[in-house]
């Protein structure tokens, strides 16, 4: 446990030193515990945020609520409340950090092997876990404001933590594979660029079909 807290502090204050130490010691158990903490914080934050969203539904004036609409709101309330209180929400929230970290690590280690001719799956998994600390801090802050003030942090605050996370992930890649900053940035953005290009191609292929469908609807109306 001591090494986990030590690495958390180093990741916040001296990320390069933290990831170098991870490369040398590879404390897998510390990463697994940290991901468990991340999952628990995510579950509690999601639960409180979900319950808070229910408070927005009854603010509609009663004069505007028809019997059918009132029944719909009641069913929606029950559905949302049931989901955030279900075992599925709890179990899925605990599994998600492990699953996403494992998948991300597998993808980036494959790319790393392509560019660097060197595999470091377990080391990258551990580094990736600690690179998520900025978003863990954001979730804790958001949980605090939600609990105390029923107020969610604004999007620009989240954006700051996202940028911080990107820096952490790039540094994790750099120190894990012992490469320069430019190559680590290239490795980090490779999947993002590929997904973006595939999305553009998909939209380009889909656009003629949508245009044809809309044209047929317009013709039918006329």
């Amino acid at each position: 446990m001591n090494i986990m807290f030590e690495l958390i502090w180093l990741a916040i204050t001296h990320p390069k030193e933290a990831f170098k130490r991870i490369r040398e010691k590879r404390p897998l158990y510390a990463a697994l515990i940290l991901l468990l903490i991340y999952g628990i914080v995510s579950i509690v934050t999601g639960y409180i945020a979900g319950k808070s969203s229910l408070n927005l539904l009854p603010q509609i004036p009663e004069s505007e609520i028809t019997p059918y609409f009132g029944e719909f709101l009641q069913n929606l309330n029950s559905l949302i409340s049931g989901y955030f209180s279900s075992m599925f929400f709890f179990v899925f929230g605990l599994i998600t950090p492990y699953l996403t970290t494992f998948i991300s690590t597998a993808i980036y280690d494959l790319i790393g092997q392509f560019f660097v001719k060197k595999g470091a799956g377990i080391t990258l998994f551990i580094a990736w876990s600690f690179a998520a600390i900025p978003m863990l801090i954001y979730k804790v802050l958001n949980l605090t404001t939600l609990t105390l003030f029923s107020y969610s942090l604004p999007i620009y605050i989240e954006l700051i933590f996202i940028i911080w996370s990107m820096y952490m992930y790039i540094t994790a890649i750099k120190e894990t594979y012992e490469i320069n900053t430019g190559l680590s940035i290239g490795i980090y953005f490779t999947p993002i660029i590929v997904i973006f290009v595939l999305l553009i191609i998909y939209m380009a292929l889909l656009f003629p079909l949508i245009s044809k469908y809309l044209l047929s609807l317009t013709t039918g109306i006329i």
Side-chain angles (χ1 to χ4, degrees):
M1 288 291 286
N2 289 338
I3 191 171
M4 184 188 73
F5 291 114
E6 181 184 346
L7 286 172
I8 289 174
W9 178 248
L10 274 178
I12 295 172
T13 56
H14 300 90
K16 292 181 181 180
E17 181 62 32
F19 294 126
K20 284 180 183 177
R21 193 164 299 185
I22 286 171
R23 188 181 69 234
E24 294 167 358
K25 297 187 176 182
R26 301 204 302 175
L28 181 59
Y29 73 93
L32 296 177
I33 295 172
L34 181 61
L35 291 175
L36 177 62
I37 294 171
Y38 192 98
I40 292 172
V41 171
S42 298
I43 289 170
V44 177
T45 304
Y47 179 81
I48 293 177
K51 291 297 183 181
S52 299
S53 66
L54 293 176
N55 297 329
L56 300 177
L57 297 177
Q59 294 181 0
I60 302 172
E62 293 186 7
S63 58
E64 297 181 11
I65 300 178
T66 64
Y68 293 106
F69 187 54
E71 184 179 352
F72 168 76
L73 287 178
Q74 186 177 3
N75 291 336
L76 184 60
N77 261 309
S78 300
L79 182 65
I80 296 175
S81 180
Y83 171 72
F84 285 106
S85 303
S86 66
M87 183 59 67
F88 172 81
F89 173 73
F90 178 79
V91 173
F92 186 73
L94 287 180
I95 293 175
T96 298
Y98 295 99
L99 189 61
T100 54
T101 303
F102 176 80
I103 293 173
S104 299
T105 299
I107 293 171
Y108 279 102
D109 188 48
L110 183 64
I111 298 170
Q113 290 183 47
F114 178 80
F115 283 103
V116 189
K117 310 301 180 185
K118 172 185 175 182
I122 295 177
T123 305
L124 186 61
F125 179 89
I126 300 168
W128 215 253
S129 303
F130 281 89
I133 285 175
M135 292 312 298
L136 176 59
I137 294 174
Y138 169 77
K139 286 179 178 292
V140 171
L141 291 175
N142 200 36
L143 175 60
T144 303
T145 57
L146 278 171
T147 304
L148 297 180
F149 311 109
S150 297
Y151 170 74
S152 184
L153 292 175
I155 188 67
Y156 66 86
I157 297 294
E158 184 178 6
L159 183 60
I160 293 172
F161 283 92
I162 289 173
I163 294 172
W164 183 12
S165 293
M166 291 171 62
Y167 167 75
M168 293 286 281
Y169 287 124
I170 291 170
T171 306
I173 294 171
K174 178 183 177 181
E175 298 302 328
T176 298
Y177 294 103
E178 299 180 82
I179 56 179
N180 59 57
T181 303
L183 184 54
S184 59
I185 292 174
I187 291 174
Y188 177 77
F189 282 103
T190 294
I192 299 172
I193 293 171
V194 170
I195 292 172
F196 182 72
V197 170
L198 289 176
L199 184 61
I200 291 175
I201 293 173
Y202 176 76
M203 293 302 296
L205 294 174
L206 195 63
F207 182 75
L209 297 176
I210 296 174
S211 300
K212 185 177 180 181
Y213 176 72
L214 293 175
L215 183 61
S216 64
L217 286 178
T218 305
T219 307
I221 294 173
I222 294 174

